[in-house]
Every structure is written in structure tokens, then in C-alpha cells.
Amino acid sequence: MTLRARLALSLVIIAAVLLVPLFVARTSMRRLHEDIRGLREREFQASLVLGRLRDAMGDVRAREVALSVVRSDTVQAQLIASLVRARLLADSLNHFVLYSAARRITSDLAVIGPAADSEFAAVRAGAVGRADTLSEGRIAPALRDADNALSSMEHELRVQTEQRVTAAEASLSNAEVVLLAALAIALVLVAAISLWLTRSINGPVRALRQGMQAVAEGELDHKLRLNASRADEFGQLAASFREMTRQLRELDKLKAEFVSIASHELKTPINVILGYIALIEEGIYGPVPEKQAPVIKTIEAQANTLARLAAQLLDVSRFEAGGGRIEPRPVRFSSMLDDLERTFHVLAVQRDIQFTVVRKGGLPEEVLWDPERINEVTGNLLSNAFKFTKAGGKVELVAEPAENGVCIRVSDTGAGIPPEQLKHVFEKFYQADNQKSASSKGTGLGLAIAKEIVEAHQGRITCTSELGKGTTFTLLLPLRVLNRRRTGGFRLLAPADAPAPK
Ligand code: ATP
Ligand code: MG
């Protein structure tokens, strides 16, 4: 599924999930409103009907009393009208589901009608005793019963209203529970979807970021932890990343090959120039005029710089193309140190820098290294130390035993390296922003080559520095370089392959 589709789907699910509690809440609220409105209307209507019914019953009672005293057709007609009105009102009580009470009143009224007729006839006939008997024996109990029914009806209505209010309250708390449950489920779902979405984006983004960082740091064969066959945009990005690193690797190789060929081709003419300069200086072509001697010296110095540059370029390009070799052979460690001390002593005197070589106890007699290459490394480190240290400063080389190996530390009291640039000093052509303090120009290749050589010896080189105070390079080398293996571009020859010590 593409990232876009995943995002859209998640948004739709989140919206739907949030709509459910919203819908539940809205429905419950509406139902509750309807219930309340119904209750209010019902209560009002029922009270109205009951009030009228009570009025009508009062009328019936009054007319009946009047009838026993006044012999008038009008009073009888009024009594009948009141009875009809009361009956109609009693019927309308059915509407409020008060069936039994309504039935009771209706039957009471049904008794009163004919009894009132008989009473009227008795009054007319002058049978007062019979009329009284009818009034007290039939009409009065029916009226009392109707009154009682009315009261019980009012009571029933109150009970019904209370029941409805309780039911409405129950449905409100039910709706609350449903709403809370729906909200909780919605939140859990939203959290799960967000987690899924974040994970499915975070992982690939992290892998891509690591990949980009690795490429930026020059690790062109970095294995991206992202499947290029994924069906989403990350798959496309992974494929593009692979293609990009492939092309970069190819370019790098082409560049290394070009530099290798160019520097190799440079070596011959430079050597010819140096050869001729040596012949001129020796006077083979006649005596050198005094005026020309310094010019020839300058040409020689520049040609030597060119020769060194060509050699360094060749070295770098060789290990980049995988062709650099180291040839370990047994060497006396102390004589390596002596040679270094002798070589740099002259420079130290010239530059007025205090130079010391410290040999700690327990150093090995003999080591199995490529001495020329290790000399190149220590020479490079000492050259840098002298280059960045002012007159009056100190340069020190300390050699001490380390676990299964030797530790060589070259420290100076020179310019130091800005902390944020420290991690780049082993990169090819990298020069820190301290070149103003350098006594000579360089190309930024010395440390890159040193690192390759040290790693080819299965060793480690690290650097610490404090700006304005000095720098220390630490080399950790095993006593014997044993196994055949490739590191960087250098091929390590096993001791068996190495030439015998002289
Ligand atoms: P090259 O060695 O190729 O002639 P370089 O000395 O400039 O040129 P590296 O030896 O690779 O190149 O060093 C890289 C950079 O590291 C230097 O340019 C310098 O900025 C910094 N550096 C190395 N050693 C020291 C040191 N001892 N003190 C201060 N800066 C150093
Ligand atoms: Mg250098």
C-alpha cells in the first residue's frame, strides 16, 4: 500500500471511529429531549383533563343536590349535560393510559344517569322518601366512588410520571456509559492507528537517514535496511538510494583510476627532472654559476614536492582501487624508534622545538610489521606535529606496551584542531581551519594514508586535540600482523609470504 493510501485510509478510519461516539451522543440527546418534552406535555394535558373532570363532577354533584330540591326540567337538563361532559372527559383519560380509573368513573357516571332520572321522577311524584333513598343509596356512593377514582387516577398519574422520569434518567446514564465506551474504543483505535502509522513511517525514515549519513561520511557500500521491493514510496526511495550509491561507487572508482594513472604518469617526468637537477648540481654539465644555484635549489624543492604529491596520490588511489600492499617482516622496534629520533632531531633543532622520544618499559624486541609503511605513518604524524608547532614548543613520541601490541603516541603543543573538525582529519584532502599556523603547505592526504596503513596492520589510529593547546595522535598496533586479510585498499601478506628478515 502506498504511503499516500495509508495516510488517507488512516484518516478515514480515525474520522469514522470518532464519528461513532458523536452519533451515539447525538441520538441519545435527541431521545432524551423528546422524552422530556413528552413528559412535560403529558403532565400538563393530564392535569388539565383531571381538573376539568373534577369540575364536571362538582357540577354533577351540585345539579343532583339542586334536583332534589327544585323540580325543574332545566336542572335535569343541566345535570345530564354535566354527566355527558364528565363522561367525555373520563373517556379522554384513556389517552393517558389510565384505563381502569377511566372505566371506573364511566361506570359510576352510568349509574348516576338513570338514578338521577328515577330521583327526578320520584320528586315529581312527591315521593320524597324514595327520592332521598335514591340520592343517598345510589347517586351519592357513585359520586364518592368517582371521586375516589379521580384521586387514585391523580396518584397513578404521579406514579407514572415518576416512572418515566426514572426511565429517562436510566436511559441518560446508559447513553453516558455507551458514549464513554465508544469514546474509549475510539481513542484506543486512534492510538493503535497512529502507532501503526508512525512505525511504518519512522522505520524507513530512520533507515534512509542512516543511509544518507553513511553516504555523507563516505561509506558508499552502506547496506540500506529498507527493502527496495516494497510497494510504497519508501520502496522507490530505497531503489533510488541503491542506484545513487552504485553510481557514486562507480564514479569513485573512475576517479581513483584516473588519479592512479595520472600520478603514475607524472612520476616518470618528475624523476627525469630530479635526475637532471642532480646531474647539474654535480657539475656534469659544467660548473653551476653562483646566480643559478639558488634557482636550481628551488626547482629541486618544487620537483620534490611534486614527486611526494604524485607518490601520495598514487598511494591513495591504489588503496581506493584495492591495490595497495603491505609486506610485514620482522623488525627491531628499538631501531625503528632510533631512526625516527635521528631523522626528526635535525628538524627539531632547526625549528627550535623540544623533541623527545620516550621508551616505556616492557616494549617488544621485535615486531612483525611493514616497517616502511609504519615509518610513513609515524613520519607523517611527526611531520604534522612539527608543522603545527611554533618555535619553543614541544613534540613528544611515547612508545609503550599495550595489550597484545604497542601503543605509540605523538603529541605536540601546537595549534590544535577545532573540535567539530576532528572527526574529518582522516578523510582524503581534508584540512582543518588551522592552516595559518602551519609552517608548510600540505595536501590533506597524510592522515588518510596513515589510517589505511594502520588498519591494514589491524591497528587503530585516533586523535584528540585542544584548540590552541596541542594535539595527540594515538596508534595501537598488534605485535604481529598475522592473518591474510584485506582492509581498506591494502592487501596484507601473511608472514609466510613476507621476505625473510635481513
Ligand atoms: P599532507 O600530510 O598531505 O602533506 P596535511 O598535513 O595537511 O597534508 P594530513 O596530514 O592528512 O594533511 O592532516 C590533515 C589535517 O589535519 C591538517 O591539514 C591539519 O589541519 C590537521 N592536523 C593534522 N595533524 C595535526 C597536528 N598535529 N596539529 C594540528 N592540526 C593537525
Ligand atoms: Mg600531514
Side-chain angles (χ1 to χ4, degrees):
M1 199 193 294
T2 65
L3 190 61
R4 211 191 213 180
R6 217 176 300 162
L7 279 171
L9 181 73
S10 307
L11 285 178
V12 168
I13 294 176
I14 288 174
V17 154
L18 287 177
L19 273 178
V20 171
L22 213 70
F23 179 74
V24 169
R26 196 159 173 269
T27 318
S28 310
M29 288 300 159
R30 193 179 279 176
R31 200 176 307 138
L32 203 70
H33 272 300
E34 277 165 12
D35 280 358
I36 290 170
R37 202 184 315 126
L39 266 175
R40 215 170 30 214
E41 277 174 13
R42 185 172 179 275
E43 178 94 325
F44 176 71
Q45 295 287 343
S47 324
L48 209 68
V49 172
L50 282 176
R52 283 186 189 153
L53 187 56
R54 207 171 266 290
D55 274 358
M57 297 294 288
D59 277 355
V60 169
R61 189 173 292 109
R63 303 276 186 260
E64 191 270 328
V65 173
L67 192 67
S68 58
V69 207
V70 187
R71 277 185 233 158
S72 146
D73 287 347
T74 321
V75 175
Q76 190 188 13
Q78 281 173 343
L79 174 64
I80 290 168
S82 296
L83 276 171
V84 169
R85 197 166 134 244
R87 180 175 268 164
L88 281 175
L89 285 167
D91 281 349
S92 71
L93 284 175
N94 284 326
H95 177 65
F96 303 102
V97 206
L98 300 166
Y99 306 115
S100 63
R103 251 198 320 275
R104 211 167 122 195
I105 292 176
T106 312
S107 65
D108 286 338
L109 292 174
V111 170
I112 294 171
D117 284 349
S118 309
E119 187 190 353
F120 187 61
V123 170
R124 271 206 172 161
V128 179
R130 184 172 142 70
D132 283 350
T133 315
L134 274 169
S135 172
E136 274 158 33
R138 290 185 57 193
I139 296 174
L143 273 173
R144 259 196 314 278
D145 189 65
D147 262 351
N148 287 343
L150 209 58
S151 300
S152 76
M153 198 181 271
E154 278 166 349
H155 175 73
E156 198 179 330
L157 192 69
R158 245 193 330 272
V159 170
Q160 273 188 13
T161 307
E162 270 168 19
Q163 279 172 350
R164 294 214 165 188
V165 167
T166 315
E169 276 173 359
S171 81
L172 180 65
S173 49
N174 270 354
E176 250 176 35
V177 170
V178 171
L179 184 67
L180 283 178
L183 212 64
I185 292 171
L187 281 179
V188 169
L189 270 174
V190 168
I193 289 170
S194 313
L195 198 75
W196 169 68
L197 207 60
T198 321
R199 273 203 178 167
S200 71
I201 292 175
N202 249 1
V205 166
R206 200 178 315 124
L208 280 170
R209 200 185 55 219
Q210 281 169 353
M212 288 299 178
Q213 203 171 336
V215 170
E217 283 168 6
E219 200 191 321
L220 297 183
D221 48 5
H222 175 82
K223 284 266 167 296
L224 196 66
R225 276 188 293 132
L226 191 61
N227 201 342
S229 56
R230 282 170 70 120
D232 59 5
E233 288 85 343
F234 287 122
Q236 292 164 10
L237 277 173
S240 307
F241 180 90
R242 293 225 167 118
E243 180 55 22
M244 177 186 81
T245 47
R246 193 190 61 76
Q247 286 191 9
L248 279 174
R249 275 198 304 272
E250 215 160 84
L251 269 176
D252 220 39
K253 208 171 156 214
L254 278 176
K255 186 193 74 189
E257 275 168 18
F258 168 75
V259 173
S260 168
I261 293 166
S263 45
H264 194 263
E265 292 304 311
L266 273 174
K267 256 174 66 182
T268 322
I270 293 169
N271 284 338
V272 173
I273 293 169
L274 281 170
Y276 275 112
I277 289 171
L279 292 178
I280 291 170
E281 280 179 332
E282 280 170 24
I284 303 290
Y285 299 107
V288 181
E290 207 179 311
K291 249 179 144 184
Q292 286 180 14
V295 178
I296 290 168
K297 276 275 168 248
T298 310
I299 295 173
E300 189 184 13
Q302 294 298 321
N304 272 324
T305 309
L306 259 180
R308 183 168 171 261
L309 180 62
Q312 276 188 329
L313 280 175
L314 197 60
D315 248 358
V316 170
S317 56
R318 268 193 189 146
F319 69 63
E320 276 187 349
R325 283 155 63 102
I326 64 159
E327 294 176 8
R329 62 171 192 272
V331 264
R332 285 181 61 80
F333 186 56
S334 58
S335 42
M336 275 184 84
L337 292 180
D338 294 345
D339 287 349
L340 271 177
E341 192 169 19
R342 236 189 336 272
T343 313
F344 281 91
H345 175 70
V346 185
L347 189 61
V349 173
Q350 279 173 356
R351 303 275 318 277
D352 187 21
I353 289 171
Q354 190 186 324
F355 174 50
T356 39
V357 175
V358 180
R359 299 159 180 87
K360 296 260 173 93
L363 283 171
E365 284 266 302
E366 201 179 70
V367 285
L368 188 70
W369 295 342
D370 183 330
E372 280 78 30
R373 290 301 202 174
I374 292 298
N375 271 336
E376 205 177 321
V377 175
T378 42
N380 241 314
L381 297 183
L382 283 170
S383 304
N384 283 346
F386 278 100
K387 191 157 77 174
F388 289 97
T389 304
K390 284 199 186 105
K394 280 189 203 164
V395 171
E396 189 180 55
L397 185 147
V398 180
E400 58 187 345
E403 200 182 332
N404 297 325
V406 176
C407 171
I408 301 173
R409 259 199 313 277
V410 175
S411 47
D412 62 60
T413 56
I417 301 167
E420 70 283 359
Q421 299 182 2
L422 208 57
K423 61 176 182 286
H424 298 296
V425 293
F426 294 104
E427 289 168 15
K428 286 169 291 184
F429 302 108
Y430 186 86
Q431 293 188 298
D433 292 339
N434 57 5
Q435 301 303 313
K436 275 191 199 134
S437 328
S439 59
S440 61
K441 278 191 172 179
T443 41
L445 285 172
L447 288 178
I449 296 171
K451 186 165 188 268
E452 284 297 327
I453 295 173
V454 171
E455 285 177 358
H457 280 79
Q458 295 150 29
R460 244 184 316 137
I461 179 166
T462 50
C463 172
T464 54
S465 185
E466 211 175 320
L467 204 58
K469 295 218 167 143
T471 308
T472 301
F473 281 89
T474 307
L475 276 186
L476 267 171
L477 289 165
L479 289 184
R480 302 167 69 78
V481 183
L482 285 174
N483 303 321
R484 180 190 286 271
R485 71 168 191 134
R486 282 177 82 96
T487 50
F490 279 85
R491 190 157 68 82
L492 198 67
L493 298 179
D497 301 341
K502 287 168 199 158

